[in-house]
Every structure is written in C-alpha cells, then in structure tokens.
Amino acid sequence: MTEAILLVGGKGTRLRPLTTHTPKPLLRVAGVPFLTHQLARAAEAGVTRLVLATSYLAELFEAEYGDGSTLGLELVYATEPVPLGTGGAIRNAASLLTCGPDDPVFVFNGDILSGVDLTALREAHTRAGAAVTLHLTRVLDPRAFGLVPTDGDGRVQAFKEKPQTKAEIVTDQINAGCYVFTRSVINSIPVGREVSVERETFPGLLDSGALVRGFVDGSYWLDLGTPQAYVRGSADLVRGLVSSPALPGPVGEAIVLPGATVHPQAVLTGGTVVCEGAVVEAGAIVDGSIVLPAARIAERARVSGSVVGANAAVGAGTTLQSTVIGDTATIGPDNELTAGLRIDCGVRLPAQAVRASAAPSVLAS
C-alpha cells in the first residue's frame, strides 16, 4: 500500500471570480474537476489511500468524492482549523496516515498539472533512502520561482528564493510541487502552527545533514494558478499534450460532455470543452476555451482562450478574448471583452456596453 497527502486548502485568489463558489482543485479542467485528474494519476501509480488536506470550502470535497471508492481509492479528509502553511497542512493531515515510519508518502500540491512518472519518483526515493525527494522541473525563465540546485548525484544543495539579479540564477531547476517524504520526516514537522516546507522544513533538513534529493524530470508541467494557465492546461489535456486516465472523451479539438447541446453550424477548436447542460448556438466559434455547466453561447459569438462560468450567458455577436466570465453573469449582445478582463459572478452587461471598436450600429450608419 502507498499513501499520499494532497494539499487542496488554498483559496485560489488568483483565479477569482472562478473560485468564488468553487475551490480551485474542483474547477473543471477538460470536463472534470481538476482534482479528479490528480486522484486518477495517483491511483494509476499504486496509491491506495489518500488524505485530502482541506480548508477553503472544505465540505465540497467530501460531497464530490465521498469515500473515494468510485476512483478505486480510500479517501479521508483533514481540515485545517486555521491556515497552517504547506508544512503545517502536511503535518495536520499526517495524523490520518496509517503507514509505518520508514514508508514513502507522496505529497501533491493541488494545482499542478504534470506528466511526471510517479512510480519512477517513488522508486528513486526508496532506492536512495532519502528523507525527501522533490520532483524538479526545468524552466526557461526561473526568475518567478524558487531555485533548487543539485549536485551530480541529485542531492539538493540549497533552496534559494526567487532570484532578483542574473547572478542569482544558479540553476534552471525549480520545485515542481510533488514530493515523496519518508513518513518519519513528516512526523518531525511541528504540530499546530504555520510551517512552510520551502522556507523551514527543507532548509532545516539540509542543515541537519539529511539526504534531500531532486528528481529532475522533463515531462509536461504547468501551475494552474492563473486563468491563462487554467485554460491552457484544460486545452492541453483535451488535445492530448498531457495524458490523464480521467479524461472524459477522446483527445482532439474538443470534448462535448453528455447533456450539452452544440449546433451543427457552431465551430469548436483548440481543445475546447463544453460541459453538461451548456448550449452553443449556430455560427458561434469557440476556440481553446472552457464552457462550464449550463452556460450559453449565443449565435455568432466568438470565444477564444476564455472561461464562461456555470449558468452564464454570452450574447449574440459578442467577442471574448482571454476573458473570465463568472458564474451566472450575463454578457449582452455585441460586446467586445479583451484579454485579461474578468467579469464577476452575477454581473449583467447590456448590449454593446464594452467594446474595443465602434459599435455595429455606428458602423452601419
């Protein structure tokens, strides 16, 4: 048996308004909650029991997954009474683990889409006898990340904060948000207070001489913490650029879930997903976008790289470019919403309220 902890307590503030009513890990990605992809990959790698470390809207996780039996897992739930940081959340969840002190435990961040070989990661950890093994990925521009240099044997040398100058960029390797802990190491994390694994736990292990290893892997990796990344990750799953055993349809240009209605004269491209109860009308073009349950895209609308929230409506002739529409919002006809705009839940925009060009009636005159 292999156990795991999955950290799903964050509020997902960078994704607002999408996370107003839905925790970030339960947002639909390629048609199913993102957490479903993570759970399915964990089960595929031999994880049999998993603790969900919850906080924000904690009750929605158990409502979605119950005991986990439908995914072939045993799921249990640990809720943080107060925010405890990454390390504190791991320690709080560890009270529900059943494995022995020398057993490996996976720890996953709840917002990372990755193609890393989890079985190989666990085996490398066990073979080395490491205290902790971190999945590391290489990025072209590491300035936005903490750096994790390793030696020729994969031993972690340091944990460096985000570099401020070119001279501080000592490696392109960053922490990819997936770890294997030896259980006894988790037990050493202080109980009942906020702890950061990045700033306290991992540097403390290095100072003590413990073996902390990096597992460098070049497979697909994406942090889904922003709307742009969230849309991209969903589209990449639909198009098969990264695999998931939980994908609810064959890879291709689009996935249309049962119960959705797409007019034969509508066009879906670029890894679009249309969720159950949603409607896409004639002449609409939806490219690389997420249409959430019961949303409606009216005729001749153009939707690109965007998210249309549950029960939201996009009017005829309206254009969305890299835009987020919150749940139950209504966008009237002939609006033009440009990249980066976010419309809050429940907002109603009248026809032609927001445009980047002259209104059609003006052009006609």
Side-chain angles (χ1 to χ4, degrees):
M1 181 175 72
T2 297
E3 291 188 294
I5 295 170
L6 214 161
L7 304 175
V8 293
K11 291 184 177 181
T13 53
R14 291 183 297 163
L15 283 165
R16 291 291 181 95
L18 297 173
T19 51
T20 301
H21 306 117
T22 305
K24 177 168 55 175
L26 294 183
L27 290 175
R28 298 291 192 95
V29 174
V32 301
F34 176 60
L35 185 54
T36 302
H37 295 291
Q38 290 185 302
L39 294 174
R41 291 199 73 239
E44 191 177 54
V47 172
T48 55
R49 190 170 187 276
L50 195 145
V51 183
L52 289 182
T54 65
S55 178
Y56 176 63
L57 299 175
E59 68 280 0
L60 297 183
F61 292 94
E62 190 164 5
E64 178 71 33
Y65 296 108
D67 64 4
S69 57
T70 57
L71 293 169
L73 290 164
E74 179 188 354
L75 292 184
V76 291
Y77 302 85
T79 301
E80 297 175 41
V82 295
L84 296 172
T86 49
I90 293 168
R91 184 65 183 88
N92 185 61
S95 63
L96 297 175
L97 295 173
T98 63
C99 60
D102 297 326
D103 290 329
V105 178
F106 278 114
V107 176
F108 305 108
N109 283 356
D111 55 3
I112 300 298
L113 177 61
S114 169
V116 65
D117 186 335
L118 295 176
T119 301
L121 177 62
R122 180 184 54 215
E123 290 176 351
H125 172 84
T126 302
R127 188 166 56 247
V132 180
T133 300
L134 294 83
H135 170 211
L136 305 180
T137 191
R138 291 189 170 101
V139 294
L140 292 176
D141 184 359
R143 289 175 296 177
F145 304 94
L147 309 183
V148 187
T150 54
D151 67 14
D153 295 324
R155 187 167 191 145
V156 172
Q157 300 296 291
F159 291 90
K160 296 187 174 292
E161 294 297 319
K162 297 176 183 179
Q164 302 299 310
T165 66
K166 187 173 182 180
E168 292 177 317
I169 302 176
V170 296
T171 181
D172 60 356
Q173 296 174 177
I174 66 166
N175 180 354
C178 173
Y179 321 103
V180 184
F181 278 78
T182 297
R183 167 66 190 277
S184 59
V185 174
I186 297 177
N187 292 346
S188 70
I189 297 173
V191 177
R193 69 169 176 86
E194 187 172 348
V195 180
S196 166
V197 291
E198 299 86 357
R199 295 182 177 86
E200 182 175 344
T201 304
F202 294 156
L205 288 169
L206 290 188
D207 291 343
S208 72
L211 176 57
V212 180
R213 296 193 78 250
F215 182 87
V216 182
D217 178 83
S219 61
Y220 183 101
W221 181 86
L222 186 64
D223 178 344
L224 299 185
T226 66
Q228 295 79 10
Y230 166 55
V231 171
R232 176 186 160 191
S234 179
D236 287 351
L237 278 162
V238 172
R239 293 186 297 158
L241 300 185
V242 58
S243 64
S244 168
L247 196 68
V251 299
E253 288 297 305
I255 289 178
V256 178
L257 296 188
T261 302
V262 177
H263 194 279
Q265 293 179 4
V267 178
L268 307 180
T269 60
T272 288
V273 61
V274 182
C275 294
E276 67 274 11
V279 176
V280 182
E281 296 183 356
I285 298 175
V286 186
D287 176 61
S289 295
I290 301 170
V291 183
L292 291 172
R296 178 175 289 271
I297 310 295
E299 59 184 1
R300 297 179 289 101
R302 302 289 187 269
V303 179
S304 177
S306 298
V307 185
V308 181
N311 295 287
V314 176
T318 282
T319 298
L320 307 182
Q321 178 66 47
S322 300
T323 304
V324 174
I325 307 299
D327 296 344
T328 71
T330 299
I331 311 302
D334 296 315
N335 280 286
E336 294 178 358
L337 302 188
T338 54
L341 289 179
R342 306 185 191 202
I343 305 301
D344 209 352
C345 298
V347 167
R348 301 180 66 87
L349 284 183
Q352 302 178 18
V354 178
R355 295 191 60 83
S357 62
S361 57
V362 174
L363 292 175
S365 64

